[in-house]
Amino acid sequence: MQRTLWIFILVASAVCAGQNPFTAPNHEPEFQEVQTSSLYVPMRDGVRIAIDVLLPRGLRAGQKLPAIFKISRFGRAAVDRSLSDEDSFWVHHGFARVLIDERGTGASFGTSRYGAETVRDLYDIVEWVVAQPWCNGRVGAIGVSVEGTASELLAATNHPAVRAVAPWFSDYNYYTDLVRPGGMFNEWILKNFEDFTLQMDSGGSAKHVDGDPAGVLMRQAIAEHRDNLDIYSATKDALFIDDPIATTGKTLLDISIPGTAASLRKSKVPMLIFASWYDAGTVQGTIQRFRKFSNAQRIFVGAWSHGANSNADPFLAPSAVEPDREQQRREALQFFNRHLKYVSREVDSDRHFSYYTIGKDQWQSTDVWPPNGLRKVTYQLNSNGKLDRKNSGGSLNVRLQTTSTGERNRWHTQLGGGPVDYSAALEKMSTLTSFVTAPLQAPMEITGQPVLRLRFTCSQQDPSIIAYLVAIDRKGNAFYLTEGHLRLLQRKRDVSEQTLHTYARRDAQPVPKDQETDADLTLLPTSVFLQKGTRLRLLLASGDEATFASSGGYEATISPSSQLELPVK
């Protein structure tokens, strides 16, 4: 009966355009109090990993629970030993909560590992958990950002006890989605990430285990963290997607989710995924995962900051996040109840992609991506500065200059989940080279990945381009929609790639001086509804000093055959 109920709830939550997809009901807590313990668990190579186990107080004799992992790079729990609302929520609702300091972090011994190299440790921890008398033999994981990536890697263990994972706001392909979108180095995020990581690895996130009250073992573990990888230097030197990171012998692609793709597909582990149109390039990875992995996937793509701390729809006045944190937890609870408690013998085949359309304040859903019903609309970059359906002929001489999108852009939100708001930056970006459409004669919905196909000439040896797509309403107000990047050295086209480029060293092509060059830029995916009378503006820059390393401004001549392609309904 319980299994039938959960299948009914899931089917009932399937949405069509305009309906709220967040339908998980409220469940009263099963328990009121939490008891905690912590210890070191040895891995197969002898390295000790620090773990907290949170259980409901008052378990009946013989009562068993599923386990929900938190796999942390920056501290499994508060140093002051207080409990977070998130951890308490899972225990109150009948789950064991297992908090883990990854190898080389927090109070764990060893040096840090990334990607597939973490899978062995996760397997060993699952083995330990399912052997505990309180465990029902089923394990899942949920996490945001790097903890979301770690949650997904849990599925790559292919351990039979791992039944469901929830990677939220996590990076799929580190190279294309975060570190070097379009081949351009994300200077700001990598430098700040390294500074924060160094602070945490030096003891800022370390909580001692129960058997080490004086912290003697913890200090020994922290001393081993000194050999952790310098992420900033290692990634800055890895110019291409197939370049090894420092002395690891691994590439950014190797340590990303695609590096464990075969294991993840084999696992068939269902996933619950939250992502945002405005969170770095994470939605690009969300779409890639949906298209490449046959695993059951329940996806929500909204207009939020990183972690859904705030709304990011530029067309709406500031307001509370929808769904709020409590409803987000209800969605996760429904998911894990289904897969870890009320378990069906049938393989879960649910694949549903719910996405928010900016400017319409409405959710839509699809079981395929791109959604059905799209068509391509092409605008020409004309010499009069207009985006037009017709080519007016003539080239345009421009100077592409470095701009700044400020401190509230889609990349900065990745560290801390701060708000995404381009309104102030767009005022300062008005001097950039731009092309603008006439007012739309009818409403338009853009859903998917726009493509800018440039043909131009420049004298710069190693130029980069950033394209910003902006909407202008009838009153002249500007609204940021999306952006795309390309280091021209990596412009070789490969239509089999999501971003149309391999970024491989073998495909590097120096830019010929003063000769026409073709370059395709994919803009990050979006879904936006534009009212009649809205104009679209395309802004071109050579860099963004707030975020990316830049080679400076340069002169260029844009050919009239350059085009902007939009996927529209």
Side-chain angles (χ1 to χ4, degrees):
M1 178 64 181
Q2 287 175 320
R3 185 179 73 187
T4 304
L5 174 62
W6 284 104
I7 293 174
F8 170 77
I9 290 173
L10 196 72
V11 171
S13 70
V15 297
C16 55
Q19 293 183 328
N20 181 358
F22 303 102
T23 59
N26 185 41
H27 287 270
E28 292 299 319
E30 300 175 40
F31 300 92
Q32 301 301 319
E33 297 182 18
V34 180
Q35 61 183 25
T36 67
S37 61
S38 58
L39 72 160
Y40 279 114
V41 175
M43 301 296 96
R44 65 187 71 181
D45 61 358
V47 170
R48 289 166 288 182
I49 301 298
I51 291 177
D52 282 11
V53 177
L54 281 56
L55 296 172
R57 190 179 301 278
L59 276 179
R60 300 187 303 275
Q63 186 175 2
K64 296 181 182 295
L65 307 172
I68 298 283
F69 283 12
K70 172 188 175 182
I71 307 159
S72 184
R73 177 69 182 79
F74 299 119
R76 70 191 191 276
V79 175
D80 65 6
R81 310 180 82 79
S82 60
L83 291 180
S84 71
D85 291 343
E86 177 81 7
D87 295 336
S88 297
F89 173 86
W90 290 111
V91 179
H92 291 161
H93 286 86
F95 292 84
R97 182 69 158 155
V98 179
L99 313 178
I100 303 162
D101 279 337
E102 290 190 46
R103 178 185 293 246
T105 74
S108 289
F109 285 79
T111 55
S112 60
R113 292 179 173 179
Y114 296 89
E117 289 194 340
T118 68
V119 170
R120 288 190 298 273
D121 285 352
L122 296 177
Y123 188 99
D124 291 352
I125 294 167
V126 173
E127 282 281 274
W128 181 85
V129 166
V130 297
Q132 303 310 303
W134 45 260
C135 184
N136 74 351
R138 303 180 195 120
V139 172
I142 186 171
V144 171
S145 196
V146 291
E147 293 177 4
T149 301
S151 297
E152 188 166 359
L153 289 171
L154 181 68
T157 63
N158 273 273
H159 195 292
V162 178
R163 303 293 186 89
V165 296
W168 288 14
F169 303 94
S170 61
D171 296 298
Y172 176 85
N173 182 329
Y174 286 131
Y175 189 98
T176 59
D177 302 343
L178 182 66
V179 177
R180 286 188 179 272
M184 297 179 64
F185 184 59
N186 197 328
E187 176 87 20
W188 184 89
I189 201 164
L190 270 300
K191 185 65 174 68
N192 283 276
F193 183 83
E194 173 59 29
D195 291 346
F196 180 69
T197 299
L198 182 61
Q199 178 186 352
M200 294 297 100
D201 290 353
S202 299
S205 65
K207 170 183 176 287
H208 65 77
V209 301
D210 291 345
D212 181 35
V216 174
L217 293 176
M218 182 180 72
R219 287 190 291 274
Q220 293 175 8
I222 292 170
E224 295 187 4
H225 303 171
R226 296 184 188 128
D227 293 328
N228 283 355
L229 184 69
D230 181 334
I231 293 295
Y232 173 72
S233 298
T235 53
K236 189 168 187 176
D237 292 339
L239 302 182
F240 298 91
I241 201 167
D242 50 354
D243 282 351
I245 305 169
T247 58
T248 66
K250 304 293 184 181
T251 69
L252 276 169
L253 192 61
D254 291 335
I255 68 170
S256 300
I257 292 301
T260 59
S263 296
L264 286 166
R265 291 191 191 97
K266 180 182 177 182
S267 75
K268 296 183 172 57
V269 169
M271 302 182 186
L272 176 68
I273 298 163
F274 274 63
S276 170
W277 300 121
Y278 287 125
D279 180 21
T282 55
V283 72
Q284 189 166 254
T286 299
I287 291 169
Q288 189 79 327
R289 182 194 293 109
F290 186 67
R291 297 181 68 179
K292 286 184 171 289
F293 293 0
S294 61
N295 305 52
Q297 295 178 54
R298 188 73 175 92
I299 296 171
F300 299 101
V301 176
W304 305 302
S305 64
H306 185 59
N309 292 321
S310 60
N311 281 328
D313 185 338
F315 294 94
L316 296 180
S319 58
V321 172
E322 294 182 5
D324 62 19
R325 193 69 73 200
E326 289 305 312
Q327 185 60 40
Q328 293 171 35
R329 288 176 182 161
R330 291 185 196 114
E331 300 297 332
L333 178 62
Q334 178 172 283
F335 174 75
F336 284 115
N337 273 341
R338 181 189 182 201
H339 293 291
L340 303 186
K341 289 184 177 180
Y342 313 125
V343 180
S344 169
R345 294 182 181 179
E346 303 166 357
V347 175
D348 187 357
S349 60
D350 178 54
R351 290 172 56 79
H352 211 71
F353 195 120
S354 296
Y355 61 96
Y356 177 85
T357 299
I358 301 155
K360 202 173 187 177
D361 193 20
Q362 189 176 90
W363 285 85
Q364 305 189 63
S365 66
T366 180
D367 56 5
V368 295
W369 195 272
N372 294 321
L374 295 174
R375 58 189 173 89
K376 182 173 70 177
V377 171
T378 300
Y379 288 93
Q380 305 293 140
L381 278 62
N382 285 327
S383 59
N384 57 6
K386 293 183 178 180
L387 281 175
D388 204 324
R389 301 296 298 277
K390 295 180 180 180
N391 188 337
S392 66
S395 298
L396 179 63
N397 296 321
V398 300
R399 177 168 179 77
L400 298 184
Q401 55 188 313
T402 300
T403 190
S404 173
T405 55
E407 299 299 318
R408 292 188 164 196
N409 66 37
R410 67 188 304 143
W411 307 101
H412 288 214
T413 189
Q414 276 264 313
L415 295 185
V420 178
D421 182 359
Y422 283 77
S423 56
L426 286 175
E427 293 181 15
K428 300 175 183 178
M429 294 166 68
S430 61
T431 60
L432 293 177
T433 296
S434 67
F435 300 83
V436 63
T437 67
L440 297 177
Q441 297 302 301
M444 173 190 288
E445 180 187 317
I446 303 169
T447 294
Q449 189 168 37
V451 178
L452 176 61
R453 302 193 188 278
L454 280 177
R455 186 167 181 80
F456 74 109
T457 304
C458 77
S459 57
Q460 184 88 344
Q461 289 187 334
D462 187 13
S464 296
I465 296 178
I466 305 180
Y468 300 96
L469 189 61
V470 176
I472 311 294
D473 71 9
R474 293 173 183 263
K475 297 180 180 180
N477 299 309
F479 304 91
Y480 168 91
L481 303 182
T482 187
E483 67 189 65
H485 318 76
L486 186 62
R487 183 185 179 198
L488 274 293
L489 183 69
Q490 296 170 309
R491 70 189 180 282
K492 184 177 179 180
R493 195 163 181 263
D494 186 337
V495 296
S496 69
E497 296 290 337
Q498 182 186 27
T499 62
L500 303 181
H501 308 285
T502 66
Y503 307 106
R505 182 171 286 275
R506 67 179 181 275
D507 291 331
Q509 294 180 326
V511 177
K513 183 177 181 180
D514 298 327
Q515 295 181 29
E516 280 202 331
T517 301
D518 291 322
D520 293 346
L521 285 75
T522 53
L523 279 65
L524 292 164
T526 188
S527 180
V528 58
F529 181 81
L530 303 174
Q531 299 284 352
K532 177 182 177 180
T534 302
R535 291 173 294 150
L536 282 170
R537 175 174 288 164
L538 178 70
L539 301 171
L540 300 182
S542 62
D544 176 4
E545 63 185 17
T547 304
F548 298 100
S550 173
S551 56
Y554 57 89
E555 307 290 335
T557 301
I558 298 177
S559 165
S561 59
S562 299
Q563 300 176 337
L564 175 65
E565 297 177 357
L566 301 177
V568 305
K569 284 187 178 180

